[in-house]
Amino acid sequence: MKEHQGIRGPSLVICPLSVLSSWSNEMSRWAPSLKFFRLHASNTDEQLAQRKELTTNATAYDVILTTYEMAK
């Protein structure tokens, strides 16, 4: 969408936890021009830090990659 239609993100991609790492790797491999944010943490402090990063810099990312649990 960004490359062909000029539509800027962020786009939200929700995937199962079991594939989050591989999808992160695939984003880096197949779309290196896209800046993505991996939104997942089990530690509460890390979750708060990620939430703060997103609220201040959400438009700096093209894709936000997260899990079903984090989206809830």
Side-chain angles (χ1 to χ4, degrees), residues 5-59:
Q5 297 175 350
I7 298 172
R8 299 200 40 87
S11 297
L12 180 63
V13 176
I14 300 174
C15 66
L17 178 59
S18 61
V19 298
L20 183 64
S21 294
S22 62
W23 282 34
S24 295
N25 293 336
E26 294 298 317
M27 285 290 298
S28 298
R29 181 178 178 193
W30 294 103
S33 65
L34 297 179
K35 185 175 179 185
F36 74 95
F37 185 80
R38 181 178 164 172
L39 179 62
H40 186 272
S42 56
N43 183 333
T44 306
D45 293 334
E46 289 179 42
Q47 287 177 356
L48 291 174
Q50 287 183 345
R51 187 175 299 145
K52 184 178 179 182
E53 170 64 20
L54 272 182
T55 56
T56 58
N57 297 320
T59 57

